[in-house]
Amino acid sequence: MRDRLIVLIEDNADDAYLAMRVIGKVCADRVIVARDGEEASQLLKNLAADGLHSRVRLVLLDLKLPKLSGIEVLQEIRSSELLCGLPVAVLTSSDNDLDQEHCRALGVLDYIYKPMTIDRLQRVLSQDKEP
Amino acid sequence: MKPAQSQHAGAPADLTGLSLLYVEDEAEPRVMVSKMLVLNYPNLTVYSAENGAAGLAAFQEHLPDIVVTDINMPVMDGIQMSRAIKEIRPDALIIAVTAHSDTSYLLNAIQIGIHYYVLKPINYDELFSALDKVLGQLALKQLVELQNRRISESERQLALAQRIAHLGSWQCELPGGSMTWSEEMYRLLDHIQGSQAATLDRFLERVHPEDRDLLQERLAASAATRQPVVPLYCRIRRADASERILKVEATVMSTRKGAPVTLVGTALDVTELKRAEEEVRSLTGALERRVLQRTSLLQASLRELEHFSYLVSHDLRAPVARLEGFCRALVEDCGECRNDNCRTYAERAERVVRQIKSIIGAFNELSHYTRCGMVIGEVDLSALARSIGSDFQRTEPERSVRFHIADGLVVQGDQRLLRIALEHLIGNAWKFTAKKDRASIEFAAQAQEGTRVYFVRDNGAGFDMRYVDKLFKPFQTIHSPGDFTWSGTAIGLATVHSIVLRHGGTIWAEGEVDRGATFFFTLADEPEPGSYYERTH
């Protein structure tokens, strides 16, 4: 089975650490981390260019990001021919950050309140269909 | 002599205060006629004298209104006496009784001003008829004097009333502009009465130049249309440069087309009234400015508060979530660690974090109620209370609680917020009656000093009035943990307080340990839907 990838877009080091720990408990997938919106955008483009986008099992996207916002990254994903089918789950610490309707319109798989727990991630991954 | 008649046609009914002097030198007729006079005119005071000199003396003493005199008498004759009497009192009425019919006497008598003649020997009918005529004259004179006194009295009263009311009256002929002014009108216009004829020009010269045209226009329009003058205010400049404000009104007297017009009007000094109005206006302006100032101050501090609550709700949540994440990691990973304390500490720390989160949640909820918009409409509190009561009954069907809910408690307010408030109040009552066998919850209203006071009363655990001040503060509880089911963060009553305040009301409570609690609240008749918070989000 080919290596699968989880893309974690999270600017806060602690949150990134906690998320990676939970991912490590749940699966053996490789995790690629982007620290801001621009970096994420570039990373996803590179993946597409290298033909690796089909290996992405899940994108965990924090909405509050430096430079490009989470929503903007999401819009880029949905408008890209290669990336538009990626499963994206949104990470948030407060309802205030979450524009649920906007996210739903952009085809978000799920909303995860921080801290993400093992159970929660397992449930999200179980919704995900193999590409 | 003929006997006197008892009735005299035309005689005035009341002769009180009138007196008559009868002068006659012959004793017998003097006594006889005097008696007849007294008999026929009981209210008339009758004096008598035996000659002209004695008559004059009696006249000087008594000043009678009427003199009946013989002409031919010793010492001083009637003509001489009458002349002297007329000098003393020109309006004295004299009836001459004479045997003379020669013209020289008569001419003299006419010159002197003797009014009537009765020929001797006296015929009583003639005498009384002459006397009645004289008395008739006197009565008429008295009547005129009385009327004159009444007229001048009412004129005096009118002038005084006008003075007190600062109300002048006037009359004006148009075209021409000749006027008459009441005493007060002179005073209002600061003209001296009698110094010059009152005219429209003299009126206008006192009117402020800016108001003059309008006054002239209104008077002319009224004269042209024969309609009352449209009332107007004119400033009057007095000689000492002080200014008064008059309200001028008038109506048209003559309405015949083409005829000159007479305007009859008033001028009311409204200076003080206008000044008070001006003062009220400026005070209102100042008050409005202050309200604006206060509102912007209030909004500024509310903005700060909003920033603070945003900080709590938002910026604090992320680190708290992180803390929770690490606690979870500890709990999960310390399964691999040998130290039992580690796991206990991690679990406890995780609980603390959850508490912090619920406090933040409660804080947000509470601040939401103080600033959310309100939709004001008719709310049936009775129906709400019944529906809330049956909801509670459904959740715990094993409990038996008697609800007494008064009908028809309909108010103006926000349905959603009032439901939340009632849910908390009835929920409290439900919770604190849990240990009662015969629990009862009442929702009703009573009039208190003209205000409708709503209340939720239960017969449950009650509370100690010493702690009443803590009731409505958030995050405070007055029951020990474990006494009743822990219901989160103790913001229920603080929420109710906030909602009642938003509805312009107040809330208070009474209670006794084990004897139940009553929560009272009022609501404004027409609550303001707005919030001091500016809509920034």
Side-chain angles (χ1 to χ4, degrees):
Chain A
M1 187 174 156
R2 288 179 303 172
D3 279 352
R4 288 196 301 183
L5 302 173
I6 290 179
V7 177
L8 173 64
I9 306 167
E10 171 62 77
D11 61 314
N12 183 281
D14 286 332
D15 284 347
Y17 178 91
L18 286 167
M20 284 171 75
R21 175 188 162 272
V22 169
I23 294 166
K25 298 257 177 196
V26 171
C27 63
D29 297 347
R30 255 186 76 193
V31 182
I32 310 176
V33 181
R35 304 281 177 181
D36 64 51
E38 255 179 40
E39 202 183 308
S41 162
Q42 196 55 54
L43 169 73
L44 289 165
K45 275 178 196 151
N46 291 345
L47 285 173
D50 297 342
L52 296 173
H53 56 277
S54 55
R55 293 219 210 151
V56 176
R57 189 181 180 194
L58 180 68
V59 178
L60 287 168
L61 175 65
D62 183 19
L63 287 180
K64 265 190 78 185
L65 290 172
K67 300 178 186 172
L68 290 180
S69 75
I71 293 288
E72 283 167 320
V73 172
L74 190 53
Q75 277 164 341
E76 275 195 7
I77 292 172
R78 292 300 177 234
S79 58
S80 151
E81 202 186 321
L82 297 175
L83 300 172
C84 62
L86 289 187
V88 179
V90 155
L91 291 170
T92 180
S93 49
S94 138
D95 279 332
N96 296 18
D97 295 337
L98 191 62
D99 188 345
Q100 290 222 24
E101 256 172 60
H102 205 166
C103 290
R104 195 174 300 129
L106 291 167
V108 166
L109 186 68
D110 215 337
Y111 313 96
I112 302 170
Y113 287 94
K114 294 177 188 178
M116 179 170 68
T117 62
I118 293 168
D119 280 0
R120 192 79 186 83
L121 182 59
Q122 274 170 341
R123 262 188 289 143
V124 171
L125 287 175
S126 69
Q127 291 177 49
D128 169 32
K129 293 190 177 63
E130 290 282 332
Chain B
M1 270 190 238
K2 278 183 166 183
Q5 290 176 345
S6 56
Q7 288 296 318
H8 311 284
D14 185 17
L15 303 176
T16 315
L18 289 180
S19 56
L20 180 145
L21 173 64
Y22 178 46
V23 188
E24 169 63 64
D25 59 331
E26 286 172 56
E28 195 197 330
R30 186 170 69 234
V31 174
M32 204 50 209
V33 171
S34 290
K35 270 189 186 164
M36 284 306 286
L37 283 171
V38 170
L39 213 65
N40 282 280
Y41 300 92
N43 290 327
L44 191 66
T45 310
V46 178
Y47 306 102
S48 61
E50 68 274 16
N51 60 49
L56 189 56
F59 186 86
Q60 278 167 331
E61 191 185 339
H62 303 294
L63 290 172
D65 304 279
I66 305 160
V67 178
V68 179
T69 182
D70 189 14
I71 297 296
N72 197 11
M73 288 181 296
V75 188
M76 184 191 276
D77 69 18
I79 297 291
Q80 274 178 296
M81 183 195 73
S82 294
R83 191 176 286 126
I85 283 172
K86 277 288 182 182
E87 269 166 34
I88 297 165
R89 186 174 168 176
D91 68 339
L93 291 165
I94 300 170
I95 299 169
V97 181
T98 179
H100 293 278
S101 52
D102 66 282
T103 46
S104 68
Y105 267 106
L106 279 177
L107 278 175
N108 261 331
I110 288 163
Q111 273 173 358
I112 294 160
I114 289 170
H115 296 76
Y116 295 98
Y117 299 89
V118 178
L119 286 173
K120 268 190 166 180
I122 283 182
N123 170 321
Y124 282 110
D125 276 349
E126 264 177 50
L127 176 64
F128 292 155
S129 138
L131 199 52
D132 287 346
K133 279 178 192 156
V134 166
L135 287 169
Q137 262 183 328
L138 276 173
L140 204 63
K141 209 172 111 192
Q142 277 181 338
L143 195 68
V144 169
E145 275 169 9
L146 181 70
Q147 296 288 15
N148 280 340
R149 266 203 308 281
R150 279 187 186 151
I151 288 169
S152 59
E153 175 62 18
S154 50
E155 274 174 356
R156 199 177 60 86
Q157 279 179 2
L158 183 64
L160 264 174
Q162 289 201 352
R163 180 88 196 255
I164 291 165
H166 303 295
L167 176 77
S169 55
W170 52 267
Q171 196 170 318
C172 179
E173 311 296 333
L174 284 177
S178 71
M179 293 184 84
T180 49
W181 297 340
S182 73
E183 215 178 295
E184 185 60 18
M185 195 66 200
Y186 276 95
R187 197 172 292 114
L188 291 175
L189 295 177
D190 202 19
H191 278 307
I192 293 157
Q193 198 166 3
S195 66
Q196 265 180 294
T199 62
L200 185 56
D201 286 342
R202 295 197 67 215
F203 189 161
L204 290 170
E205 81 187 34
R206 286 291 195 245
V207 176
H208 192 289
E210 288 172 17
D211 298 345
R212 217 173 273 161
D213 288 349
L214 183 64
L215 176 61
Q216 265 181 307
E217 255 170 49
R218 292 270 169 96
L219 295 182
S222 171
T225 60
R226 313 283 160 132
Q227 293 296 315
V229 171
V230 178
L232 73 158
Y233 294 98
C234 316
R235 284 164 290 171
I236 296 292
R237 286 173 150 179
R238 298 164 65 100
D240 63 0
S242 66
E243 207 177 84
R244 309 292 298 172
I245 302 164
L246 298 188
K247 184 186 186 189
V248 178
E249 290 179 83
T251 184
V252 184
M253 268 229 310
S254 47
T255 49
R256 198 156 47 81
K257 235 184 166 176
V261 173
T262 303
L263 297 175
V264 179
T266 56
L268 179 64
D269 187 337
V270 292
T271 314
E272 271 68 38
L273 196 72
K274 282 276 169 193
R275 278 184 195 148
E277 262 178 32
E278 197 50 50
E279 207 172 322
V280 167
R281 237 198 306 281
S282 84
L283 279 177
T284 311
L287 202 63
E288 272 167 9
R289 277 193 298 282
R290 276 174 66 183
V291 167
L292 274 180
Q293 255 173 20
R294 294 268 163 95
T295 308
S296 73
L297 273 177
L298 200 59
Q299 275 173 344
S301 51
L302 282 171
R303 254 197 309 279
E304 269 175 48
L305 199 65
E306 204 167 39
H307 283 146
F308 173 72
S309 58
Y310 189 76
L311 174 103
V312 171
S313 72
H314 193 87
D315 298 354
L316 209 54
R317 272 188 192 221
V320 167
R322 252 159 247 153
L323 188 58
E324 194 187 1
F326 283 114
C327 289
R328 168 62 47 84
L330 255 175
V331 171
E332 283 167 1
D333 295 355
C334 278
E336 299 150 21
C337 172
R338 298 267 163 150
N339 191 341
D340 275 352
N341 279 345
C342 259
R343 196 182 170 81
T344 313
Y345 296 160
E347 278 167 0
R348 290 202 158 209
E350 200 184 17
R351 267 209 299 279
V352 171
V353 170
R354 256 183 252 123
Q355 244 171 49
I356 294 172
K357 281 178 78 178
S358 79
I359 288 172
I360 292 173
F363 178 88
N364 281 328
E365 193 184 332
L366 199 56
S367 69
H368 168 74
Y369 293 127
T370 60
R371 67 192 160 160
C372 64
M374 297 208 299
V375 183
I376 304 297
E378 204 166 83
V379 179
D380 185 347
L381 293 182
S382 305
L384 273 186
R386 265 191 291 274
S387 128
I388 293 164
S390 53
D391 284 350
F392 278 110
Q393 193 68 72
R394 255 196 304 280
T395 54
E396 290 178 72
E398 69 284 0
R399 280 192 60 187
S400 141
V401 177
R402 282 179 66 111
F403 279 97
H404 305 271
I405 291 163
D407 283 319
L409 301 180
V410 177
V411 299
Q412 288 291 314
D414 182 296
Q415 169 99 11
R416 188 180 64 96
L417 291 182
L418 289 175
R419 183 178 184 106
I420 291 165
L422 277 182
E423 272 170 358
H424 281 297
L425 290 175
I426 294 172
N428 268 351
W430 180 266
K431 184 165 74 182
F432 292 112
T433 49
K435 295 175 183 172
K436 289 277 166 187
D437 292 335
R438 276 186 223 152
S440 126
I441 295 171
E442 184 185 3
F443 175 59
Q446 62 194 28
Q448 212 165 298
E449 286 162 19
T451 310
R452 198 139 72 136
V453 176
Y454 305 90
F455 62 87
V456 175
R457 176 173 289 148
D458 66 61
N459 61 349
F463 60 89
D464 190 330
M465 280 300 275
R466 275 185 296 172
Y467 307 130
V468 72
D469 289 342
K470 292 175 92 180
L471 278 177
F472 300 104
K473 290 181 181 155
F475 312 118
Q476 303 215 30
T477 171
I478 59 172
H479 293 282
S480 311
D483 280 0
F484 292 93
T485 340
W486 169 252
S487 68
T489 41
I491 59 156
L493 286 175
T495 302
V496 178
H497 188 196
S498 187
I499 290 170
V500 167
L501 282 181
R502 288 293 303 276
H503 283 81
T506 51
I507 185 164
W508 67 98
E510 282 170 13
E512 200 181 325
V513 174
D514 283 332
R515 304 288 292 271
T518 309
F519 288 85
F520 300 93
F521 65 93
T522 62
L523 300 170
D525 292 337
E526 283 166 35
E528 292 265 337
S531 158
Y532 279 117
Y533 281 96
E534 295 156 316
R535 298 278 148 73
T536 48
H537 303 299

